[in-house]
């Protein structure tokens, strides 16, 4: 695709046109922009709950799975170990998680959500509901279903590609209730 044949991106003054280096990847560029804006919107909602973006994924896993080893948590959320360690330190300081020795292996620690974090679960669920509303505003039910279906296919394709390269595991960190 050349600059002369590039599609009109319909950008608003707040969203700049695609740089020429991405003309052969307009969908990838759009996904990147949408992901960035989605993270900003999520960050605003989570800030009101005292969370930083990404911490909610750790909490979601702990609420669903109960106590797990930190190494299992790192694998489940697919983040760098140092990032997860820092997130857990902050969550521990705020009283949302606690660490305790693993009775099966005293060298390992288990991480678990605290009772105090149960109220946060309701708030995170509400924030994600609001994020969903903001994200899908302007789409009708048919378009929402189609977007979910297409994103599921894109995720599956990327997961297969990543798995083939051996760079990382796809796991279930991003799995959700999107119709595929």
């Amino acid at each position: 695709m050349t600059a002369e044949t590039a599609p009109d991106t319909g950008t608003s003054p707040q969203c700049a046109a695609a740089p020429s280096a991405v003309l052969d990847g307009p969908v990838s560029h759009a996904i990147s922009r949408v992901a960035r804006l989605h993270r900003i919107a999520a960050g605003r909602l989570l800030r009101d709950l005292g969370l930083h973006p990404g911490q909610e994924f750790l909490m979601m896993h702990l609420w669903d799975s109960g106590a797990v080893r930190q190494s299992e948590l790192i694998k489940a959320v697919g983040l760098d170990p140092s990032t997860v360690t820092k997130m857990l330190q902050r969550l521990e300081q705020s009283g949302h998680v606690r660490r305790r020795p693993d009775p099966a292996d005293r060298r390992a620690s288990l991480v678990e959500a605290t009772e105090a974090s149960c109220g946060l679960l309701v708030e995170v669920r509400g924030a994600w509901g609001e994020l969903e509303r903001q994200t899908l505003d302007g789409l009708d039910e048919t378009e929402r279903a189609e977007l979910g279906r297409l994103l599921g296919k894109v995720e599956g394709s990327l997961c297969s590609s990543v798995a083939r390269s051996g760079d990382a595991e796809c796991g279930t960190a991003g799995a959700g209730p999107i119709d595929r």
Side-chain angles (χ1 to χ4, degrees):
M1 183 178 287
T2 66
E4 295 82 33
T5 61
D8 177 19
T9 58
T11 59
S12 66
Q14 299 88 357
C15 300
S20 62
V22 299
L23 291 178
D24 288 338
V27 171
S28 294
H29 187 249
I31 289 171
S32 179
R33 288 191 333 264
V34 167
R36 182 182 141 277
L37 292 169
H38 191 266
R39 185 171 171 86
I40 290 169
R44 287 184 183 143
L45 293 167
L46 293 169
R47 189 173 325 134
D48 294 342
L49 306 180
L51 294 175
H52 296 278
Q55 289 178 331
E56 80 277 23
F57 291 113
L58 294 178
M59 294 307 303
M60 287 176 189
H61 186 78
L62 293 173
W63 288 320
D64 287 348
S65 300
V68 296
R69 287 187 178 176
Q70 186 168 329
S71 59
E72 293 172 36
L73 187 58
I74 289 166
K75 188 175 180 179
V77 296
L79 296 173
D80 183 79
S82 63
T83 301
V84 173
T85 298
K86 184 69 172 173
M87 287 178 164
L88 287 174
Q89 288 170 346
R90 287 180 173 168
L91 289 167
E92 195 170 29
Q93 289 170 355
S94 63
H96 297 305
V97 301
R98 74 173 146 257
R99 297 180 225 212
R100 61 181 171 86
D102 184 344
D105 181 354
R106 293 300 224 177
R107 297 169 296 167
S109 297
L110 293 177
V111 180
E112 61 188 346
T114 62
E115 287 295 320
S117 76
C118 290
L120 185 63
L121 168 60
V122 172
E123 294 181 74
V124 167
R125 189 175 286 155
W128 272 80
E130 176 57 26
L131 182 60
E132 187 84 353
R133 283 185 287 286
Q134 289 176 16
T135 301
L136 300 177
D137 187 37
L139 299 179
D140 64 33
E141 288 303 314
T142 302
E143 291 168 325
R144 290 173 185 216
E146 182 67 359
L147 178 61
R149 186 185 73 75
L150 292 171
L151 286 173
K153 288 181 80 168
V154 169
E155 181 183 16
S157 177
L158 289 172
C159 187
S160 295
S161 177
V162 167
R164 279 192 307 273
S165 70
D167 289 336
E169 292 183 31
C170 285
T172 59
I178 294 179
D179 294 329
R180 296 185 179 156

